[in-house]
Amino acid sequence: MTFRCQNYINGQWLDAITSDTLESRNPANTEELVATFPRSNSPDVNAAVAAARHAYQTWRQIPAPTRAEYIFKVGEILTQYKEELAQLISQEMGKPIAEARGDVQEGIDCAFYSAGEGRRLYGQTTPSEMPNKFAMTVRVPIGVCALITPWNFPVAIPCWKAMPALVCGNTVILKPAEDTPACATKLIEIFAAAGFPPGVVNLVHGVGEEVGKALVEHPDVDLVSFTGSSQTGAEVGGICGRSHKRVCLEMGGKNAQIVMEDADLELALEGAIWGAFGTTGQRCTATSRLILHRDIKEKFTQMLQSRASQLRLGAAIDPNTEIGPIINHRQLQQVRQYIDIAREEGAKVVMGGDIAREGELGKGYFFLPTILDGVTPGMRVAQEEIFGPVVAVMEVNDFAEAIAIINNTNYGLSSSIYTRDINRAFAAIRDIEAGITYINGPTIGAEVHLPFGGVKRTGNGHREAGSTALDIFTEWKTVYVDFSGSLQRAQIDNRS
Ligand code: UN1
């Protein structure tokens, strides 16, 4: 049955004002129409922003513990609908069902964690330099937040953004990716069932160049939180910079796993397989480079090849599937092009390297798990995010070279090192330029109560999730209370 998605504006389910619609198809079988959704445009965005602006005045004054109870409720309903939502994710986005359940679970975890913040939202108190004067800081909400989210975590990422934003007293407008409108609609149905006042939570479907752009440019949107490509992020950041809008950008990665000669190779192998090929490599935390010490390089590459060749490609609906499809035709072509680029630059395709067309796979956008060997730091496949099941193997002579190579990228999201040497592990923690470093674990698998984000061109200094999400969605207000009954001039009256 085809899901008919609508926008959710001011507590009402609506079509686009023009009634235009678009389609979402199963990437494992493009004959299967999953959903139709509104192709909204500026007038729909204007209505959502007006509703969110109006609702903000009341919502921000509701005590934070009460706001948190709505989020808690979302967590409870999400738990109830976990399986249904996971099935929908698998169908619309293509990730295997176990991973889809993980996607929903990340949203549930985020709900309960964010709800707890309702009774914290700590500020500070500190002495004043003047007598009979009190000094403190409090967090205040920002206003109307536009949340622009990708398709690879269609439930977790909207939750990461919306839940802390709402607890902090903001109102939100979600603009989900064009590839996963049904997941977003189902998620917002769950938010709606939690009973938020109208206008607090809104959903506007459509394409980035129309709805995304209208939101980012709207003068009544106070904050934009964006997860997506570096190219789009740069445009979003530019527009927000010029209009002095707060903007939080979460963009690409070129994450690597280092395997030293003293590592537990079986463990490192499991990590590499999961990090590189889990979610078909379509995570911004995916392992895109493997940096191998020369002593174990040949052996490890062979182990990798033999394990990767056993991975089962298929539709998510099949419980044996380990690798699902690529999200859409454009992405599939892009991944394929990178293989040509790799060959032209002198890398060796030791496994995969092509679109998978056998049998049922031909109905979708499948790509073979791919290993590129002989990759050197200057190659494009060592520098650019591919976002597919492709891993580049790079050989190094020692630890220092491994660190130099892992840092030789414009990105800095996730990183990993496998070693049994505690000294090297701590040196790596100190020297790797990335927002996240795993020791003896793969580059993927962030938990919601810790900060998530990257350095260099991965982000613009913010950290989502954890208590650091509060820094995105609040402003600090500094408060001085002078109870002396007289004018006290700081820096002057307390000096002789
Ligand atoms: C992303 O790829 O955009 O750490 C998010 C992980 C997941 C989140 C990934 N928990 O891989």
Side-chain angles (χ1 to χ4, degrees), residues 319-465:
N320 292 320
T321 291
E322 291 168 292
I323 307 218
I326 300 270
I327 188 70
N328 58 37
H329 187 253
R330 189 170 22 91
Q331 281 292 130
L332 184 72
Q333 291 307 324
Q334 184 174 310
V335 174
R336 233 212 70 77
Q337 271 167 22
Y338 269 111
I339 307 304
D340 293 341
I341 292 168
R343 283 203 178 97
E344 278 161 30
E345 290 187 323
K348 235 171 85 191
V349 181
V350 291
M351 209 192 99
D354 210 349
I355 293 171
R357 297 188 177 86
E358 259 174 57
E360 293 288 296
L361 299 180
K363 290 185 174 171
Y365 305 124
F366 289 92
F367 201 85
L368 297 167
T370 300
I371 302 171
L372 305 176
D373 199 357
V375 175
T376 52
M379 292 182 184
R380 284 181 63 188
V381 288
Q383 294 294 338
E384 297 173 20
E385 186 174 48
I386 299 174
F387 230 63
V390 180
V391 68
V393 173
M394 306 171 82
E395 182 180 321
V396 291
N397 292 307
D398 53 30
F399 177 74
E401 193 184 353
I403 297 294
I405 293 210
I406 205 169
N407 289 341
N408 184 348
T409 155
N410 288 325
Y411 295 113
L413 181 54
S414 189
S415 56
S416 147
I417 181 167
Y418 280 76
T419 178
R420 287 185 169 114
D421 180 338
I422 186 88
N423 296 347
R424 275 177 177 167
F426 272 87
I429 293 168
R430 182 194 58 203
D431 294 338
I432 292 176
E433 297 164 1
I436 306 170
T437 294
Y438 290 89
I439 305 297
N440 294 327
T443 59
I444 65 178
E447 301 174 26
V448 302
H449 54 301
L450 284 99
F452 182 92
V455 303
K456 301 200 264 187
R457 292 196 201 163
T458 289
N460 63 336
H462 298 280
R463 291 291 180 272
E464 299 195 271

Side-chain angles (χ1 to χ4, degrees), residues 81-112:
Y81 285 92
K82 178 173 170 179
E83 190 55 31
E84 193 181 315
L85 205 43
Q87 296 283 348
L88 187 60
I89 293 172
S90 282
Q91 192 192 3
E92 189 172 49
M93 182 273 167
K95 64 172 80 170
I97 189 67
E99 290 192 34
R101 290 186 188 118
D103 194 327
V104 183
Q105 188 57 46
E106 208 161 334
I108 295 168
D109 295 344
C110 187
F112 295 137

